[in-house]
Amino acid sequence: MAECLTEHTATATPSQVQDRPAEPPPTGEPAIWSRNFRYYFTGRSAGLLSWAMLPVAVSAGLLSGGYGLDTAGYAMAFLVGPFAGLVLFGGVLADRFTARRLMIAADLANLGAHVLLALLFIHGIDHLWQLYALLMVAGTANAMFQPGSASTVPLVARDVQGANGVLRTSEALTGLGGPALAGALVGFGATGWVMVISAVAYGTSAACLFALRLGAVPAPPAGESLWHNLAVGWQEFRARSWLWGVIVIWMFFAVLSWGPQLSVAAGVIVPEHGATAFGLLNAALGAGTVAGGLLAIRYKPERPLAAGAVAMLAYPLYPLGIVLDWPVWLLVAAQVAVGVGVGVWGVMWATSVQTQVPGEVLNRVHAYEVAGSVGMYPIGSALAGPAVGAFGTDRVLLVGVAVALLTAAALLATHPIRTLPRVPPRP
């Protein structure tokens, strides 16, 4: 496979070059805070702010507007479903048309979708299909954006784990402020203004990505079909047992624990404590992830996925607390602990993928990774309402607790995952 990829690179024509460097950033640049990384960090942070606000704003806005848990669950499924179904094609298109260009186009599509979502929430939702359609556009745009967002990191920073730690911290800070802001605005009946802020953030992201100045590298030959490019990505994905092993485990976690949790938690927290408390709890998750991201900048274990799996043992605390009817302040503490675990795992996982997979196929391999890990989420989200109706809220949450514990245990019990070594940062 490596020889095949070398031949592809050698036969590319000058018209098929991509605007990203064939080599990592030069050693003379800062390990993390290069000019390109500063632009990328700003743009990515703006996009992450929008993404953090959207699920809370839509879920809490619908519930506060008198819609049921089923509607909120279907809305999340329409948001995540297109993302999961189309992210593979996003990886191929990122290789063909360059990651940066595809990411800019995705940001502009998101900008337009959020302007229309703002108008929809301000003037009232006459037909739910309009909301679902716009959420599908947002999900599709994120499917086009996501593969390039991961493959760009090794191209703008020499210390990949440190850069991922910074980005994870940014994601956590936006996760801290975004849900709190969204919850507060929804509480005041201003869901439409959440969408206005999101539209401005996506415009900022597009401008920052446009400002990146990256080198050139040969693209896949023009004669290769879309399906051949997908097949090459699949072969690279399948060849790494640690990679597909994590994804198989994560698929069960997404359906039975992660997927239903947001909607089920909203169905308990919003009626009992209000939309502002729900936003605060999601902000607490962001606060914990800040701590996890900062920890992961410095903490560089020899077995990163094993360390991340241990950190994920904190995940069941929040759903367990809801079942036990903990007060809001204790649920906040649980969410902080969960966030630390999620933050550490996220950095260890992203760094492992970005440093273990060759750059020329990273967009496609990352797309398979995202499709597998996120692909089951909309199923879990869509089934949340029917499952609660059939089995009750407590049973659904307790299944999520058990599956989360089994997920961490399975990651630690799988030899290729547990023993995967760390790739040292470039000098």
Side-chain angles (χ1 to χ4, degrees), residues 56 175-176 179-181 183-184 269 274-287 328-329 331-332 335-336:
V56 174
L176 175 64
L181 177 61
I269 300 298
T276 301
F278 184 58
L280 176 64
L281 286 167
N282 284 276
L285 178 67
V328 171
W329 69 266
L331 289 175
V332 166
Q335 280 286 64
V336 170

Side-chain angles (χ1 to χ4, degrees), residues 39-408:
Y39 275 115
Y40 180 71
F41 171 80
T42 303
R44 187 68 179 127
S45 298
L48 288 170
L49 176 66
S50 296
W51 189 248
M53 291 192 296
L54 185 59
V56 174
V58 172
S59 297
L62 287 171
L63 292 170
S64 298
Y67 292 93
L69 177 61
D70 286 357
T71 301
Y74 292 143
M76 291 302 99
F78 276 106
L79 176 64
V80 182
F83 175 86
L86 297 174
V87 70
L88 291 178
F89 297 97
V92 173
L93 293 175
D95 280 335
R96 284 177 170 243
F97 300 110
T98 83
R100 184 175 71 101
R101 292 172 188 164
L102 195 63
M103 291 158 70
I104 292 172
D107 277 336
L108 294 176
N110 252 324
L111 188 158
H114 281 76
V115 168
L116 295 175
L117 282 168
L119 294 174
L120 195 63
F121 277 103
I122 289 172
H123 293 290
I125 303 173
D126 294 326
H127 304 285
L128 282 172
W129 69 262
Q130 298 171 335
L131 172 66
Y132 295 155
L134 290 172
L135 291 175
M136 288 179 68
V137 172
T140 300
N142 279 283
M144 299 299 105
F145 188 100
Q146 182 61 38
S149 71
S151 66
T152 302
V153 176
L155 308 173
V156 296
R158 290 188 291 113
D159 182 356
V160 177
Q161 180 169 326
N164 278 312
V166 170
L167 291 169
R168 178 63 63 172
T169 301
S170 171
E171 181 179 356
L173 287 171
T174 56
L176 175 64
L181 177 61
L185 290 173
V186 171
F188 285 109
T191 306
W193 285 102
V194 178
M195 305 306 167
V196 172
I197 295 170
S198 291
V200 172
Y202 280 118
T204 301
S205 176
C208 289
L209 291 172
F210 183 80
L212 290 178
R213 293 296 176 262
L214 302 175
V217 68
E224 289 189 353
S225 68
L226 175 71
W227 302 110
H228 178 78
N229 292 153
L230 282 172
V232 171
W234 171 252
Q235 291 167 12
E236 293 286 348
F237 176 82
R238 190 180 61 179
R240 293 165 174 83
S241 57
W242 62 269
L243 182 59
W244 60 258
V246 169
I247 300 308
V248 169
I249 294 169
W250 214 259
M251 289 169 69
F252 290 96
F253 173 68
V255 172
L256 299 172
S257 184
W258 176 36
Q261 183 167 293
L262 179 66
S263 298
V264 176
V268 175
I269 300 298
V270 173
E272 291 188 6
H273 304 288
T276 301
F278 184 58
L280 176 64
L281 286 167
N282 284 276
L285 178 67
T289 313
V290 168
L294 292 173
L295 174 63
I297 293 174
R298 295 289 184 182
Y299 174 52
K300 297 182 178 179
E302 292 302 316
R303 300 290 183 265
L305 294 185
V310 171
M312 281 296 293
L313 287 169
Y315 189 89
L317 288 175
Y318 178 57
L320 182 62
I322 296 175
V323 172
L324 297 178
D325 199 23
W326 288 354
V328 171
W329 69 266
L330 193 53
L331 289 175
V332 166
Q335 280 286 64
V336 170
V338 171
V340 172
V342 169
V344 171
W345 166 261
V347 172
M348 300 303 168
W349 172 246
T351 303
S352 296
V353 174
Q354 293 164 13
T355 57
Q356 299 277 353
V357 178
E360 57 265 35
V361 292
L362 181 54
N363 285 325
R364 281 168 282 173
V365 170
H366 178 63
Y368 275 105
E369 171 235 319
V370 172
S373 60
V374 181
M376 297 294 105
Y377 177 91
I379 297 176
S381 179
L383 292 177
V388 167
F391 306 108
T393 300
D394 286 355
R395 288 187 180 179
V396 172
L397 288 171
L398 285 174
V399 167
V401 169
V403 170
L405 290 172
L406 289 172
T407 296

